[in-house]
Every structure is written in C-alpha cells, then in structure tokens.
Amino acid sequence: MTDRPHTPLLDTVDVPADLRKLKPEDLRPFADELRAEMISAVGTTGGHLGSGLGVVELTVAIHYVFDTPRDKLVWDVGHQCYPHKIITGRRDRIRTLRTGGGLSGFTKRSESEYDPFGAAHSSTSISAALGFAIANKLKDEPGRAIAVIGDGSMSAGMAYEAMNNAAAAGNRLIVILNDNDMSIAPPVGGLSAYLAKLVSSRPFLELREIARRFARKLPEPLHKAAKRTDEFARGMAMGGTLFEELGFYYVGPIDGHNLEHLIPVLENVRDSDHGPVLIHAVTKKGHGYAPAEAAADKYHGVQKFDVITGEQAKAPPGPPAYQNVFGETLAKLADTDPRIVAITAAMPSGTGVDKFAQAHPTRTFDVGIAEQHAVTFAAGLAAQGMRPFAAIYSTFLQRAYDQVVHDVAIQNLPVRFAIDRAGLVGADGSTHAGSFDVTYLATLPNMVVMAAADEAELVHMTYTAAEYDDGPIAFRYPRGNGTGVALPEVPLKLEIGKGRVVRSGKTVAILSLGTRLAEALKAADTLEARGLSTSVIDLRFAKPLDEELIRKTLASHEVCVTIEENSVGGLGAHVLTLASDEGLIDAGLKLRTMRLPDVFQDQDKPELQYDAAGLNAPQIVDTVLKALRHNSAGVEEAGARA
Ligand SMILES: Cc1ncc(C[n+]2csc(CCOP(=O)(O)OP(=O)(O)O)c2C)c(N)n1
Ligand SMILES: CC(=O)[C@@H](O)[C@H](O)COP(=O)(O)O
Ligand SMILES: [Mg+2]
C-alpha cells in the first residue's frame, strides 16, 4: 500500500476554480504536492507515469490561467492527463485508474466536462481543438481551445494537416508543444533535430521576449515595425520557425517546469489578439521523480511500483511475450535473408522490433508516430524486392487503412503485417482494443489473414509470412504472454489457406481462429463430459478460408460454432457466407458465430473483458447447448438432450 502524501494545498482544490483562488506563491508547492499525489496513485495502479510527471507544471499553469472548462483543454494522446484528472474533480477516483469500472487512463468525454475530447491515439488534439475554436467563433461564444501535444505526437501528419488549417481560428486556438525530446523510444526524424535547434536558441528567445514586451507598449505604427523586426530577427536566427510558416505565432522555447515563466506567457497569449499561437514548452519526461528520470523510457508505462525505491512489481516468470517471440523469430530469419526489414511506428519495444534491431540495426526503421507513412514506405520496399514487416498494433493500423487498401492490396505488394495487440488488451480499454483487423483486412482482395493460436503458431506464421511473396499477408496475435507451449526449433512454412484439426469428434465442432483455441478446448472437455463428442479446429486463416475443411466439418456435425477475438464481419461472417453460398445450412445444420459484442468495451483485466464479451469456455458451452435445444423451426425446446 503506498502511503498517501501530505498535501495541504492540494486538499483545498477539487476543481480549477479552487486552484485559481490560490496565491501565485503557493503554486510551486501546490505543483509539488500534485506530483507527489500522482506518483502515489500510479504506484498503486500502474499506468503511464513519465508523461504525466513532465506536465505537472503545465497542467497547473493552464488551469490557473485559462477558464476551464469554458476554455477547452484538449490533451494529445491523453496518457499524460493524470495530474489534470486529479485537479478536475477526480482525485477521489484516481486510484481506480485503468481498472474495471474505474477511471480511464486517457481523457474521456463521458468522464468529465473537463475532458472535452477523448484521446489515446496520438496527434488528434489540434484538429479537435480547432473544431472547438471555430465553433465558438461561429456561435460568437467566448472561450478558447488549448491543445497540448507532445514532440512525438508531432511526428504524425495529422498534426500538420490541422496546423495548416488553423489560421481561421485566430486567437481562439492555442497549441502548446510539450517538447520533452522523447516519445517512447529515443526521438527519431528531422522534427526532433529541428526542435533541438529551436531549443538551443533559447538565449535568442529571452532577448526577443523582452523586446516583445517592450514593443507592445509602443504606439501602433511603431509596434508594427517592431513586430516586423522581431519576425525578421527570428527568421535570421532560426530560418523562420516551421510553425510560423504554417501560420502560427511561435512563442518559445520556454521552460515548461518554471511556473514563473509559464504563467505570464500563458496570460500574454490568453490576452493577445495574435493567433493562432504555438507555445513551445520544453519539459522533461519523468521530471521530479528520480527513478523515472533515470530510466531509459522515463517510466513511460509502469507496473505498480514502490514509490520509495521506484522498484516495479515483477510479473512471475512465465511464457515469453508474443511481441518478443515475433521480434526474436524475425531476427533469426533475417540472419539468412537480407531482404527482411522491420518497420515500427514509434513502438519498438511494444512490437518486439527492438529485439530485431539488436541484431539488424541497419534493417530496422522506426518512422515515428506515422503509421500511414509506415505502410506505404513498406509498400515501396516491397515493390523494390525487399521483404518488409510492418509491425503495428491492430488499433494503430486502423489509422493506415487506406494505405493498406490503396498502396498495398490493390497493387498486390508483398508487405507483411505483424499485427500485435489483436483482440481485447485490458487496461488501455476501448481505444487500444484490436477488435477490427480481421474484419477490415479479410474483406480485401489479395490479402492473406492469419491468426496465431499460441506462440508456436506465431513462429510458424512469421516464417510463413517471410516466405510468402505472392501479395500482402497479415498475422495477428494478442497482447501479453504465450501459453507456455514449446517453441519449435524449426519453423514450419504453413500451407496458405489450410487449417488444422486439433481434436476430432462427431456431434459438435468448434472452429476457432487465434488464441480462443484454449477456451475452445476447455469447452470441448465440458461438452465431452456431457456426452457430446466435440471436434476442435484451428482454422489458422481467416482468408483464404480452408473451404474443404469447413465443408467437411459442417457436413459431418450437428452443431458448428465459429469463435474469434474480433468484431462481427470477420471469420464468422466469411464462414457464414461460404455456408450460405454452398447451401451448407439448408439441411438443418445449427451454425453459430461467436465474436466480440457490438460495443466498445472499457478497460478491465483481459479475462474479465472476454467474460463480458461472452467468449470464454462456459459461454461456448452455453451456445452449443442452446443451439441443440433449437428445433428445425428455430424454436428453443425445453429439456435439451445434453
Ligand atoms: C496513432 C498512435 N500511434 C502510436 C501510439 C502509441 N503512443 C502512445 S504515447 C506515444 C509517444 C508519444 O510521445 P509524445 O507525444 O512525445 O508524448 P510524451 O509521452 O513524450 O509525453 C506513442 C507512440 C498512439 N497512442 N497513437
Ligand atoms: C499511450 C499509448 O498508446 C501506449 O503507451 C500504449 O498504452 C502501449 O500499449 P501496450 O502497453 O500494450 O504496449
Ligand atoms: Mg515527448
């Protein structure tokens, strides 16, 4: 149990209106208390720590200066919003973060009026804030919109699309670039270098800041001249900021941990006629907590931890994580195949690409948070004879869907998609669930879609994908650790479109895709114990279907059930289409599909999420028994056979 910190000032603040009653000199100790409370809370819940630590002062300054919730504060990604949640009426629930029925780990509209826009996928904040700003302008209502976006999130094109469109907002839109020179992994790309140059021009800024304050006191014509001089000087010193070229008035860089700097700048911007404005705040991820500051990832995502030592709770040794099985397998394959390259979109460790990078650094590409670019970059590599593996979480691949269709599938280019976090992911909740990739990929001509039932299957599928040059191929696997099955010494090259019979029976057949196989086998045991002989099939492929195996199975069993960790429109839909096209359900076969429910499921432990989704063994059994009770008229009869 983490002791609660002593927070006399924080105890007086429930919402920002209370914060604004504090004396300016109390803001520094207030921020220290807020940081201590956040560390204590995340020590008990785990979650995203480093990012929130880096924005404690920014959070205090923004809520102190701006009239939230009337002024709309939009956090990008939202993983840094824990300090914001603590001082916007949710301190009493902060220790339920990311648990079933508790607070979301990201901003969420349904949670609070202080969360005007939900987040979790990056680089959306400027677009959303622009929407609020323009709406207020059109309705002639007061209120500004403030987007807080990180340097990593600035590597996604969507941020520039928004900035390029922001001029109409005038001074209603303020963008705060939270530049901690850090994403999850070390910064990549030209933007990072550019920002470093801006930051290094700090002395220039301080002089410019003094000049600006002076210039504002000048009569208009002189003020205009001074302004032109200022912009000219800026252009000279820094080649004109990228942001100003996009129509923003750039202010910065400023120290994002120094309230004495932050507050006057925010007040000036708040009261300024200039706009839209981009404030470049320089912060440190993990700031104010030594174990986080010392860590390579700045404690981006942590388990529960001892607040005193920073020691994180260690999971008991168990089977390897799927991401590492993928990364290590691909690295081995690349030892003898120089065409293999790996691409990640700012998630090297989460995807296991970091394991590949250790062995093949020159064939590893971290493109930043730029999934769309990652996919078409892979398409270019494939077109030129390479064997690219785009390793992207299912949920983040959604952002690159048109690139998958337009640049990969239509051109039938052999891009390999290693889709991690397939299915329900637990604490990150609905924004990160990998619920739709079978649906959105298996519907595409030319696409091959596989799903690994365990880590051994993942090894086989990684090899199968590496050897498949006939077009795009995807293989999906869940977040977390494997089942403990032995890893194959020699990977198998699977026959495309062929499934495998894991258990043979006569009355019931469960056709599984992916890691629901374990629950299917448990259900088969229960059904056998009730006298119902049950087959279990691992289809391995959602596309192309193993039509021969499916035909045979549907023709030889009384009840057939498909199951998948995917929404409607996936495996079950394709099996139903085959069955109806070929009249396989005309003679009374009882065919049922089990898939994720048509809702966005909030965070919880994955096993509880699957219970709620109705995809665990008991629910498979219930589905079979219910089907057996249905007569040919589809009416459920009392007194089932089993
Ligand atoms: C579209 C998308 N891709 C990937 C991620 C995973 N992700 C979450 S936070 C993060 C890094 C964000 O870096 P930055 O914006 O600099 O914020 P910081 O963590 O440094 O505060 C990434 C890549 C995401 N949330 N959204
Ligand atoms: C905030 C964000 O999007 C990432 O940090 C994400 O939470 C990582 O998910 P995993 O923990 O599944 O790698
Ligand atoms: Mg950052």
Side-chain angles (χ1 to χ4, degrees):
M1 176 67 186
T2 310
D3 294 338
R4 304 289 178 100
H6 177 55
T7 56
L9 286 167
L10 183 62
D11 296 346
T12 69
V13 173
D14 179 34
V15 291
D18 307 322
L19 172 67
R20 297 176 198 128
K21 294 175 193 152
L22 292 184
K23 296 193 293 297
E25 58 269 27
D26 285 341
L27 293 178
R28 177 70 267 165
F30 175 84
D32 295 340
E33 290 180 15
L34 177 57
R35 180 172 272 109
E37 173 67 357
M38 178 192 158
I39 292 167
S40 161
V42 183
T44 54
T45 63
H48 292 99
L49 183 65
S51 313
L53 287 170
V55 297
V56 169
E57 287 78 13
L58 262 179
T59 304
V60 172
I62 292 166
H63 282 297
Y64 187 75
V65 170
F66 289 97
D67 184 15
T68 53
R70 189 205 65 176
D71 290 336
K72 302 301 177 191
L73 172 53
V74 182
W75 292 98
D76 204 281
V77 181
H79 63 318
Q80 77 291 70
C81 71
Y82 303 176
H84 159 82
K85 291 203 173 187
I86 290 170
I87 63 171
T88 54
R90 287 166 279 182
R91 183 184 182 186
D92 60 329
R93 300 183 65 211
I94 200 65
R95 286 170 176 78
T96 68
L97 264 177
R98 295 160 46 96
T99 60
L103 290 177
S104 164
F106 306 102
T107 49
K108 192 166 184 171
R109 283 174 54 84
S110 60
E111 219 174 79
S112 165
E113 60 177 332
Y114 290 92
D115 292 5
F117 207 75
H121 286 199
S122 79
S123 321
T124 60
S125 60
I126 304 174
S127 300
L130 182 59
F132 283 101
I134 297 291
N136 279 341
K137 212 173 164 185
L138 291 172
K139 295 195 287 182
D140 196 21
E141 284 177 6
R144 286 178 172 67
I146 306 107
V148 182
I149 183 167
D151 56 294
S153 300
M154 270 294 198
S155 57
M158 182 173 178
Y160 298 89
E161 293 168 16
M163 288 197 288
N164 188 46
N165 195 227
N171 68 347
R172 299 285 197 128
L173 175 66
I174 293 129
V175 173
I176 298 176
L177 167 58
N178 171 34
D179 181 8
N180 55 21
D181 192 23
M182 180 82 190
S183 168
I184 291 181
V188 290
L191 177 76
S192 159
Y194 180 82
L195 291 174
K197 181 179 151 206
L198 281 184
V199 172
S200 62
S201 70
R202 190 195 307 274
F204 174 81
L205 167 89
E206 272 145 15
L207 176 70
R208 196 163 65 79
E209 197 48 41
I210 295 162
R212 186 212 311 276
R213 284 213 199 102
F214 170 69
R216 290 199 39 189
K217 306 243 182 318
L218 295 172
E220 195 48 32
L222 280 177
H223 179 194
K224 275 212 169 66
K227 188 171 174 304
R228 272 198 302 281
T229 313
D230 166 87
E231 278 172 354
F232 177 71
R234 217 177 356 208
M236 289 285 284
M238 297 181 282
T241 70
L242 166 70
F243 307 111
E244 295 210 329
E245 303 307 317
L246 285 166
F248 276 75
Y249 192 80
Y250 169 84
V251 174
I254 57 172
D255 179 350
H257 297 299
N258 183 327
L259 288 163
E260 289 70 34
H261 284 191
L262 273 176
I263 288 175
V265 168
L266 290 181
E267 284 170 341
N268 281 345
V269 170
R270 179 195 62 196
D271 302 337
S272 158
D273 303 331
H274 294 294
V277 175
L278 181 135
I279 299 171
H280 180 182
V282 179
T283 65
K284 289 195 186 70
K285 194 162 184 172
H287 181 69
Y289 185 52
E293 290 175 347
D297 70 350
K298 307 300 175 199
Y299 274 21
H300 172 83
V302 291
Q303 303 302 320
K304 299 177 181 175
F305 61 89
D306 178 310
V307 169
I308 309 297
T309 65
E311 183 79 26
Q312 292 184 52
K314 290 220 174 0
Y322 281 100
Q323 65 210 53
N324 295 334
V325 171
F326 161 69
E328 286 155 12
T329 301
L330 192 66
K332 263 189 230 137
L333 296 173
D335 287 342
T336 53
D337 185 343
R339 293 164 295 180
I340 291 177
V341 295
I343 300 162
T344 176
M347 300 297 282
S349 58
T351 56
V353 165
D354 60 341
K355 299 286 179 290
F356 181 90
Q358 285 162 11
H360 306 286
T362 60
R363 284 190 272 158
T364 306
F365 299 90
D366 180 347
V367 297
I369 311 180
E371 288 83 3
Q372 295 170 333
H373 161 60
V375 171
T376 305
F377 171 49
L381 285 160
Q384 192 58 5
M386 299 304 285
R387 288 179 160 181
F389 280 75
I392 302 175
Y393 289 15
S394 170
T395 189
F396 298 144
L397 186 59
Q398 291 163 185
R399 180 158 284 184
Y401 190 53
D402 186 53
Q403 285 74 17
V404 172
V405 178
H406 179 266
D407 301 322
V408 177
I410 289 178
Q411 300 190 102
N412 199 29
L413 289 171
V415 171
R416 286 81 171 165
F417 294 97
I419 302 179
D420 200 332
R421 278 43 173 196
L424 301 171
V425 295
D428 273 344
S430 56
T431 52
H432 283 60
S435 306
F436 311 111
D437 57 87
V438 178
T439 299
Y440 67 70
L441 291 176
T443 198
L444 299 178
N446 299 332
M447 185 64 77
V448 172
V449 179
M450 301 185 279
D454 55 38
E455 58 272 40
E457 285 290 297
L458 178 56
V459 172
H460 299 320
M461 289 182 180
T462 305
Y463 177 52
T464 302
E467 293 300 304
Y468 183 77
D469 289 317
D470 298 343
I473 186 165
F475 50 106
R476 71 185 321 240
Y477 42 98
R479 182 178 198 276
N481 296 346
T483 61
V485 69
L487 291 181
E489 285 298 312
V490 180
L492 293 177
K493 186 175 167 184
L494 302 175
E495 190 182 344
I496 299 299
K498 289 297 173 200
R500 59 178 175 141
V501 178
V502 179
R503 182 187 291 193
S504 292
K506 294 192 176 60
T507 310
V508 177
I510 305 170
L511 298 92
S512 169
L513 182 76
T515 53
R516 283 299 94 188
L517 180 64
E519 294 299 315
L521 289 166
K522 283 186 213 162
D525 291 340
T526 307
L527 291 165
E528 294 276 356
R530 300 176 73 118
L532 292 165
S533 163
T534 300
S535 300
V536 178
I537 288 159
D538 174 14
L539 281 173
R540 281 177 162 158
F541 292 80
K543 185 166 198 176
L545 284 177
D546 186 341
E547 294 189 356
E548 188 191 339
L549 178 55
I550 291 168
R551 255 183 231 108
K552 214 167 74 190
T553 305
L554 269 50
S556 56
H557 292 80
E558 193 178 332
V559 176
C560 290
V561 176
T562 67
I563 187 165
E564 62 196 292
E565 294 157 345
N566 185 79
S567 68
V568 67
L571 171 85
H574 290 270
V575 171
L576 277 173
T577 302
L578 173 70
S580 72
D581 287 353
E582 300 193 359
L584 302 176
I585 40 181
D586 298 359
L589 163 70
K590 294 171 179 180
L591 176 58
R592 301 289 183 271
T593 64
M594 297 181 76
R595 68 268 170 196
L596 291 174
D598 186 25
V599 291
F600 289 108
Q601 290 182 249
D602 285 341
Q603 72 281 354
D604 204 335
K605 291 189 173 65
E607 55 276 17
L608 296 180
Q609 288 185 310
Y610 278 113
D611 249 355
L615 293 180
N616 283 330
Q619 291 123 339
I620 299 171
V621 172
D622 288 349
T623 300
V624 169
L625 298 181
K626 202 164 163 221
L628 282 169
R629 286 197 290 270
H630 274 78
N631 61 27
S632 52
V635 176
E636 189 169 336
E637 292 167 337
R641 281 184 8 227

